Amino acid sequence: MAAERDHRPPAVVDAPDLTDPAARLQLFKTLGDNTRYAIYLELARSARPLTTAEIADLIELHPNTVRPHLERMRDVGLVSVEVAGRGDVGRPQHRYSLSDAAPSLGLEPPVLPVLARMVLSMAERLGAGPTDAFAVGEDEGHARSVAFRSAPSSLEAVVSDLDRLGFDPVVHGDPDDDELAVVAFANCPFGDLAERHPDLVCSLHHGLIAGFLAELGDTDVREFCSVAARTPCQVSLVGAP
């Protein structure tokens, strides 16, 4: 029955009024459960919404155990749910994230988005352009690739790293075909920063992937489609000559 409930359209839950002592009490009672607190931590740390299966894997519990906790957290307004169409056998897949009404509890690093905005504004003031951003991203990509030198392939390595960073990569084409693979980004953890500073942010991302692959040596970037191109954000890869 729990599995069936997970495939129902999620109920619309009004955001709790946290000025109401009763609402605050329910919220903190919900977080008083060890499993729900563990779920909260994983959602707070994640750069993208997570599925029930992903949350279950992170906290080492069965998805059927996690589902009722997620429903309870949704009921009190701690989490939000979005429905995607990539579940098993065509069923919609639910992805969870912390709601806007969820308390920070001091767990998230709110200073980081502020710092990112200031750094980008400073870069523009100093006249930095896409070439500079690409070079910075390339250096970071070189450094990040070190942990993946024993990976079965560069494609698997870069997809794994992009997933860690929160881009929710989706590979199109045959992963064993060295001629061409397209990696689309279902999520952009840079969010509104990419919309406001596409030349800098997308060039950073492009350089990150190019530097990562150049260090591993068997795959090259053929084409990088950014948010500025108004096409799906994705990168086309080919085997290095």
Side-chain angles (χ1 to χ4, degrees), residues 124-147:
E124 288 190 331
R125 277 175 170 265
L126 295 176
T131 301
D132 303 297
F134 183 92
V136 171
E138 195 172 28
D139 288 344
E140 179 64 18
H142 282 299
R144 294 186 67 83
S145 70
V146 172

